[in-house]
Amino acid sequence: MFHQLISKLNTKYNFELARAHCDIPCGIYDPISAQIAAVTVVRMIDLMTDLDSKAGEKGTDYHNSLSRYIAVKEEHAEKAKAEIRVIWGDYIKAPHLEKYPELHGLVHQIMQLGSKSRQTTDRQTTLDFVEAINKFTEIFWATKNIATKRVKSPYNPPLELVYPVV
Amino acid sequence: MIQILKVTGESLSPSFREGDYVLVVKTPFLLRSFRRGDLVVFNQPPYGVMIKRIDFLSPDGDNIFVIGSHPESTDSRQFGPIPRSNIIGKVIWNIKSKTE
């Protein structure tokens, strides 16, 4: 009743706003984009290895496919890094760091692995990239008191990914 | 010395939701003492007028650390403690948009 009355008054007097401000409208942070991007990097390495192992002339089609795989690898390694940086920079706050002091080191490790995934074709580096983001994901959901599970992705490469149990 | 303000944002949810109104008292003698848990409205550039809950006060009482209840709240954990002089008033009544 009071709210209806005040709302009517608001149409006339347009009361000042008190901002209960959140960082984004509202709370849509999820490491899944980084996880998918990191798995994509592994997939591109696999496609490059597969392409290179095929017999025959390495002509225009070969170079076209290889260029595309490299471009996607570059793009997704950078995307994974960017997604993690946003969560780390905008969502993670002092109480999270007190509880999970390894977070800064882990994010730095993700940045390094992402860069190395761009620079090389070392599959193990890209697997380490996925796993480091998995660890970050476990901590991220733990800060929200949401349990996680590890499940193999239902696509190639079938890598273990961390998902929230919701 | 009373003012009505409309709440926007969800940093104090579920206690205060988008669309609620709050009645704020601005009487100077009531603003002399603050306690942990008090809800206050204050000026915080560049965000403008904000509403948060007091978490703690500096020993001399001149700086106040304010927080929201939502994990993504933008508050003193980000912009630091606010000077007491920035406080506009204390919330004495929440006029909820939805009854629970």
Side-chain angles (χ1 to χ4, degrees):
Chain A
M1 183 181 79
F2 284 115
H3 190 273
Q4 279 182 330
L5 177 67
I6 301 288
S7 290
K8 278 183 185 163
L9 288 172
N10 185 47
T11 56
K12 188 173 179 185
Y13 295 107
N14 198 19
F15 296 128
E16 191 173 357
L17 297 176
R19 292 173 176 81
H21 187 79
C22 273
D23 200 40
I24 53 171
C26 190
I28 306 171
Y29 292 105
D30 194 330
I32 190 65
S33 302
Q35 292 173 278
I36 293 169
V39 171
T40 304
V41 175
V42 183
R43 177 68 175 152
M44 290 306 111
I45 297 272
D46 290 348
L47 289 173
M48 288 161 74
T49 307
D50 185 47
L51 180 71
D52 213 39
S53 65
K54 282 178 184 165
E57 191 192 342
K58 289 179 174 163
T60 312
D61 283 347
Y62 166 86
H63 288 293
N64 182 60
S65 296
L66 190 62
S67 302
R68 294 185 66 204
Y69 298 154
I70 293 168
V72 173
K73 180 167 82 74
E74 284 279 314
E75 179 193 337
H76 282 76
E78 199 48 49
K79 183 180 177 186
K81 286 173 65 182
E83 294 282 343
I84 295 297
R85 274 200 300 271
V86 167
I87 296 174
W88 173 67
D90 295 354
Y91 168 75
I92 298 293
K93 297 201 167 62
H96 301 140
L97 292 166
E98 277 169 30
K99 199 167 179 188
Y100 303 99
E102 69 273 34
L103 260 172
H104 282 336
L106 180 58
V107 170
H108 184 254
Q109 186 192 8
I110 291 168
M111 297 302 119
Q112 299 277 299
L113 287 167
S115 296
K116 202 174 170 191
S117 296
R118 292 177 61 183
Q119 291 159 356
T120 72
T121 54
D122 178 28
R123 191 174 197 269
Q124 187 56 49
T125 298
T126 60
L127 293 177
D128 293 345
F129 188 39
V130 171
E131 183 51 28
I133 292 175
N134 271 340
K135 284 181 187 160
F136 181 89
T137 302
E138 281 171 338
I139 293 173
F140 171 80
W141 290 115
T143 65
K144 293 174 172 284
N145 296 317
I146 294 173
T148 52
K149 60 181 177 184
R150 282 178 173 256
V151 181
K152 280 201 171 174
S153 57
Y155 38 74
N156 283 325
L159 301 176
E160 205 170 64
L161 292 180
V162 171
Y163 293 101
V165 181
V166 289
Chain B
M1 296 296 279
I2 278 178
Q3 186 179 357
I4 296 170
L5 293 105
K6 188 177 185 182
V7 176
T8 67
E10 293 285 354
S11 81
L12 286 165
S13 64
S15 304
F16 292 76
R17 311 299 296 255
E18 170 101 26
D20 287 358
Y21 293 94
V22 286
L23 200 63
V24 172
V25 62
K26 299 160 78 175
T27 316
F29 84 91
L30 282 173
L31 298 181
R32 270 185 219 148
S33 63
F34 291 110
R35 278 189 291 184
R36 185 173 194 216
D38 282 350
L39 279 145
V40 287
V41 173
F42 55 96
N43 266 312
Q44 180 62 31
Y47 300 101
V49 175
M50 300 186 90
I51 175 171
K52 300 284 172 188
R53 195 179 295 278
I54 292 179
D55 191 35
F56 61 86
L57 291 92
S58 63
D60 59 11
D62 286 342
N63 292 294
I64 298 170
F65 201 89
V66 291
I67 57 168
S69 50
H70 198 280
E72 280 78 29
S73 167
T74 300
D75 50 40
S76 287
R77 289 169 289 191
Q78 216 162 9
F79 50 68
I82 58 163
R84 173 186 280 263
S85 55
N86 281 20
I87 293 192
I88 296 167
K90 209 186 273 190
V91 175
I92 56 166
W93 189 20
N94 177 16
I95 304 154
K96 287 182 174 293
S97 55
K98 289 174 193 163
T99 48
E100 285 155 19

